[in-house]
Amino acid sequence: MNTNYPDNLKILYPKQEIEAAVIRLAAEITREYQARNPLILGVLKGSFIFMSDLVRRLEFPLETDFVQLSSYSRGTESSGKIKISHDLKSPVAGRDVLVVEDIVDTGNSLAFLADYLQKKNPESLRFCCLLDKPSRRQMPVTVHYRGFTVSDKFVVGYGMDYAEQYRNLPDICVLGE
Ligand code: IMP
Ligand code: MG
């Protein structure tokens, strides 16, 4: 898809800015994880493009896995009730686990996942999020690695969707009315 977007899409972070953020995050993560063979755990589906760009800039031994959560959502609002719809396959006990997420909004998903993963006794557990919307937080979560802080806008592209559309946009866009 090219970047001649329709009128309801406004570019918030063009792909060059996203790439710069990924490079910065990869450098931070490399400093702390390069000798630890971490498990890099992507949260499907929203993180799939971010995850693939990020891990290709982590030039040290690591393993990858994915988990998918489902929240009973209505349109752009999520209800806060979360369950695992696709479980990870990798053992977590004693591992350094780094969760890769597209966006932290209310915090309900990451709070649920933190609780779920902590019960499996990882050596360490941290969260890397491309976007953070702190103004919308309902549950406290610690984001260790953050790409961008955004205000309360609904964004799509670079893996993120509205009703499963727009994940393929190369830029992060605000979805208008
Ligand atoms: P939570 O409210 O922090 O639990 O956010 C859960 C999930 O909602 C995120 O991981 C995203 O997949 C999705 N989400 C939240 N805000 C947006 C947005 O602005 N655009 C697309 N997806 C979003
Ligand atoms: Mg997500």
Side-chain angles (χ1 to χ4, degrees):
M1 184 167 295
N2 64 31
T3 46
N4 293 321
Y5 293 131
D7 289 347
N8 63 335
L9 294 173
K10 297 277 179 291
I11 295 179
L12 181 63
Y13 298 113
K15 56 179 182 285
Q16 297 83 353
E17 278 183 48
I18 301 170
E19 184 181 25
V22 170
I23 289 169
R24 173 176 56 78
L25 291 169
E28 288 176 32
I29 292 165
T30 297
R31 276 197 292 277
E32 297 185 43
Y33 285 88
Q34 61 181 326
R36 292 160 68 182
N37 186 30
L39 178 65
I40 311 292
L41 182 63
V43 183
L44 294 171
K45 297 177 192 172
S47 73
F48 81 111
I49 293 177
F50 176 41
M51 172 92 168
S52 71
D53 281 348
L54 184 69
V55 295
R56 281 178 292 174
R57 294 196 181 269
L58 301 178
E59 296 174 12
F60 55 82
L62 56 80
E63 295 174 26
T64 57
D65 203 346
F66 292 93
V67 64
Q68 186 165 19
L69 307 177
S70 56
S71 66
Y72 303 89
S73 60
R74 300 186 267 339
T76 59
E77 294 292 322
S78 75
S79 70
K81 278 196 208 156
I82 318 272
K83 61 175 185 175
I84 304 271
S85 58
H86 172 88
D87 207 351
L88 65 161
K89 301 288 185 287
S90 310
V92 161
R95 302 293 306 273
D96 290 299
V97 179
L98 179 63
V99 174
V100 176
E101 175 62 301
D102 54 356
I103 182 161
V104 198
D105 185 26
T106 64
N108 287 312
S109 305
L110 284 198
F112 172 89
L113 195 56
D115 185 56
Y116 180 76
L117 293 171
Q118 282 295 1
K119 290 183 177 138
K120 297 177 183 286
N121 296 314
E123 172 68 22
S124 68
L125 177 63
R126 287 186 167 189
F127 294 95
C128 173
C129 301
L130 182 60
L131 299 174
D132 188 2
K133 277 190 205 172
S135 64
R136 299 250 312 159
R137 205 70 98 246
Q138 294 170 6
M139 293 288 282
V141 289
T142 303
V143 179
H144 303 86
Y145 305 96
R146 176 187 294 101
F148 303 100
T149 300
V150 290
S151 56
D152 183 10
K153 296 181 175 117
F154 198 83
V155 297
V156 295
Y158 197 69
M160 293 171 283
D161 77 307
Y162 173 70
E164 294 302 327
Q165 292 293 309
Y166 309 114
R167 293 194 196 274
N168 57 324
L169 307 182
D171 309 288
I172 296 174
C173 299
V174 175
L175 181 66
E177 300 75 45

